[in-house]
Amino acid sequence: MEDYLALANSTPLFLVVGGVLLFIAVTCVVFIIKSYRAGIKIGMGSALLKRTIFSSALFTLVPSISILLGVIALAGTLGLPAGWLRLSVVGNLQYEALAAGSAAQAMGVNYSSSSLSTQNLCTILLVMTVGISLGSVISIFFVKFYSNKLNRLGTKKSSGGSSFASWAMTAMFIGMSAAFIGSYVAQAVNGPLGRIERTDSYTLSFYIPLMVAAVSFLSMSLCRWISSKYKRFEDFSLSLSMLIGMASASLLALV
Amino acid sequence: MPFDWEEYENSIHKTGIIMVSVGIALIISVPFIFAKILSTSIDWSGFAHAILRVGPTYWAISIVEFLVYVPLLGAGGSYLAFITGNIINMKLPCVFYAKDIAKVEEGTKESSIISTLSIASSALMTMLVIFLGVLMIVPLTPILENRYLQPAFANILPSLFGALAAQYFTKSWKITIIPLAISIVLTTAVPSLINQTSVMMIPAGGVAIAIAFFLYKTKRLEKKKEAVNAR
């Protein structure tokens, strides 16, 4: 019997995944073209639109590298094509490994390349995909209805003045950031009390996320101050602050 | 000829519905195509067991995420975000940051354009990085798995949300204090919530919006907002 990982990494599988991802990439390009043209027509100016594309791509660069790590982690068990597909579309880094492990367990096999068969691979991949696809399916049927409803509920159609909508979005984001920062504080409190499991061997293990968040917070504050003097620096502020935060994690792990 | 915004929105919906339908059909068909190529079949009994274990939690989360994310991402952005994934850890922060830089007012045409452009370019960048990574997987693996770099990659979310907190908490500490306290108290009291940030977003975000609404109605936010916009 041919080696499982050799089959899971065979060329035809790469071609299938490449074809599917090419379609998704084309979808993104179509949306860029449509919204760019509409932006120009409503008078937004090409400089602003190009800057949005550039800063969003730049913002995504560093987190994307961490997703690549997830691909490597999945590839060890499910093969590279499956990891490539699962982390390029629908879902997220945290979900995939968890779903794959649970699926293997539910089928009564160990989640390791030495235990899996190609049938397990295809079944696990189907479970992972179906398990996370509901959001996309709902979006096909309900985005139009829901967004039209939201438009009617009073969002404005043109600029001018500050509305509650802007504050609601800022508040939502404050809530989202608070949820993450709160979890880092809880980790620092619960870890030493033995209420959560240690996942690595670093001395400062439980404190590292909170300390890293603090370093990033300070770096970003400094970057914002620099941006207030040099406008173009603003595009790089977040990526730079994140890199400083990540570098501090490596240093803190050495303690 | 004057530009018809409604026509644009309708065309975004039409394109979104068609491309997401085809996209999701293609993605779901991959395991079946793999099975055909590998001369095997799907283990339907195993699938049923596994999907019952994995599905319900994520389906419930998907419904909540849909209700929360669509108002934040806009129509075009939502179609793209749901098909390309990594919403909470990448697309959402990316859109907020792009809107912040562009200084557009929420709920406007401009905000909708920025949101769609931002998510599409973010998704393309992720796909490009992963594609290049897959091409160079052999030389890259030892670098990415280097023991000195591992903690850096493991702490990408604290780095991201620490930086974003500096951007957003400072816009209004009045809105921030209570949701932050609620989040700290809840996750400290119930440690299993530490890894449930999607769930924690709901009470923290809900309370933040309620406080913002109260402060907005009592006109205690405007001054600061103008200062932020003028930045």
Side-chain angles (χ1 to χ4, degrees), chain B residues 55-72:
Chain B
T57 313
Y58 286 98
W59 293 334
I61 291 174
S62 294
I63 293 169
V64 174
E65 285 183 341
F66 177 81
L67 295 172
V68 174
Y69 293 160
V70 173
L72 301 175

Side-chain angles (χ1 to χ4, degrees), chain A residues 64-243:
Chain A
S64 296
I65 296 171
S66 77
I67 291 180
L68 194 54
L69 268 172
V71 177
I72 294 171
L74 282 184
T77 314
L78 300 180
L80 197 47
W84 180 24
L85 175 76
R86 288 307 321 131
L87 284 164
S88 295
V89 288
V90 206
N92 62 64
L93 194 53
Q94 292 90 336
Y95 163 81
E96 303 301 344
L98 199 73
S102 301
Q105 210 180 1
M107 287 190 293
V109 288
N110 278 333
Y111 180 62
S112 84
S113 58
S114 57
S115 309
L116 295 179
S117 64
T118 50
Q119 185 178 45
N120 295 145
L121 163 69
C122 298
T123 310
I124 288 174
L125 193 54
L126 186 63
V127 171
M128 291 164 84
T129 311
V130 172
I132 201 69
S133 294
L134 188 67
S136 305
V137 176
I138 299 175
S139 74
I140 296 167
F141 296 103
F142 295 108
V143 166
K144 188 174 183 181
F145 168 79
Y146 189 32
S147 57
N148 286 343
K149 203 97 183 154
L150 290 167
N151 281 343
R152 276 200 293 277
L153 278 175
T155 48
K156 295 185 302 179
K157 289 282 178 185
S158 61
S159 284
S162 75
S163 66
F164 176 67
S166 278
W167 275 110
M169 297 303 140
T170 301
M172 192 65 214
F173 213 81
I174 287 175
M176 186 173 156
S177 304
F180 278 91
I181 302 293
S183 74
Y184 305 143
V185 175
Q187 226 170 304
V189 174
N190 282 311
L193 297 174
R195 295 178 70 194
I196 50 174
E197 270 181 49
R198 185 181 273 274
T199 53
D200 52 52
S201 57
Y202 310 127
T203 313
L204 294 174
S205 182
F206 299 116
Y207 305 103
I208 289 178
L210 184 61
M211 292 164 97
V212 168
V215 170
S216 285
F217 186 99
L218 293 173
S219 309
M220 187 66 178
S221 302
L222 179 66
C223 286
R224 289 182 69 197
W225 179 77
I226 298 171
S227 303
S228 66
K229 313 248 176 259
Y230 307 99
K231 194 96 189 76
R232 291 296 297 174
F233 191 74
E234 198 173 17
D235 289 353
F236 303 92
S237 298
L238 194 57
S239 303
L240 185 64
S241 306
M242 283 178 71
L243 283 173

Side-chain angles (χ1 to χ4, degrees), chain A residues 7 13 16 20 23 27-28 31-32 34-35 38 41-42 44 48-49 51-53 56-57 59-60 62-69 72 84 87-95 98 102 105-107 119 122-123 125-127 129-131 133-134 136 139-140 142-144 146-147 156-159 161-167 169 171-180 182-184 186 190 195 202 208-209 212-213 216-217 220 224 234-235 237-238 242 245-246 249-250 253-254, chain B residues 3 8-9 11 13 15-17 19-24 27 30-32 34-35 37-38 40-41 43 46-47 50-51 53-54 58-59 66-68 70-72 79-80 82-86 88 90 92-94 96-97 101-103 105-110 113-114 117-118 120-122 124-126 130-131 133-134 137 144-145 148 151-153 155-159 161-163 165-170 176 183-184 187-189 191 194 197 201 204 208 212-213 216 221-222 225:
Chain A
L7 288 167
L13 305 193
V16 170
V20 171
F23 178 82
T27 303
C28 293
F31 273 86
I32 287 181
K34 274 179 174 286
S35 50
K41 283 181 180 160
I42 61 168
M44 289 180 76
L48 175 65
L49 300 173
R51 190 179 175 206
T52 300
I53 294 172
S56 300
F59 169 94
T60 312
V62 178
S64 296
I65 296 171
S66 77
I67 291 180
L68 194 54
L69 268 172
I72 294 171
W84 180 24
L87 284 164
S88 295
V89 288
V90 206
N92 62 64
L93 194 53
Q94 292 90 336
Y95 163 81
L98 199 73
S102 301
Q105 210 180 1
M107 287 190 293
Q119 185 178 45
C122 298
T123 310
L125 193 54
L126 186 63
V127 171
T129 311
V130 172
S133 294
L134 188 67
S136 305
S139 74
I140 296 167
F142 295 108
V143 166
K144 188 174 183 181
Y146 189 32
S147 57
K156 295 185 302 179
K157 289 282 178 185
S158 61
S159 284
S162 75
S163 66
F164 176 67
S166 278
W167 275 110
M169 297 303 140
M172 192 65 214
F173 213 81
I174 287 175
M176 186 173 156
S177 304
F180 278 91
S183 74
Y184 305 143
N190 282 311
R195 295 178 70 194
Y202 310 127
I208 289 178
V212 168
S216 285
F217 186 99
M220 187 66 178
R224 289 182 69 197
E234 198 173 17
D235 289 353
S237 298
L238 194 57
M242 283 178 71
M246 289 166 69
S250 285
L254 294 174
Chain B
F3 179 65
Y8 162 74
E9 278 195 324
S11 99
H13 284 304
T15 311
I17 290 168
M19 299 203 101
V20 173
S21 302
V22 175
I24 201 70
I27 292 166
V30 169
F32 297 99
F34 273 23
I37 293 170
L38 298 170
T40 182
S41 57
D43 168 6
F47 172 79
I51 200 68
R53 179 180 290 207
V54 173
Y58 286 98
W59 293 334
F66 177 81
L67 295 172
V68 174
V70 173
L72 301 175
Y79 288 116
L80 286 176
F82 284 112
I83 194 78
T84 56
N86 283 302
I88 194 169
M90 202 182 291
L92 212 47
C94 187
F96 268 77
Y97 194 62
I101 289 180
K103 310 268 184 293
E105 182 74 9
E106 203 55 58
T108 59
K109 295 169 184 174
E110 292 83 353
I113 297 284
I114 295 290
L117 278 180
S118 172
S121 25
S122 167
L124 280 176
M125 175 55 97
T126 304
I130 298 179
F131 174 66
V134 166
I137 197 84
L144 292 171
E145 289 184 341
Y148 296 110
F153 289 116
N155 283 283
I156 204 138
L157 283 178
S159 306
F161 282 96
Q167 182 90 352
Y168 291 97
F169 285 0
T170 50
T176 303
S183 171
I184 291 172
T187 43
T188 303
I194 288 174
T197 29
M201 236 182 97
F213 186 69
Y216 181 78
L221 284 175
E222 284 304 300
K225 177 74 187 177

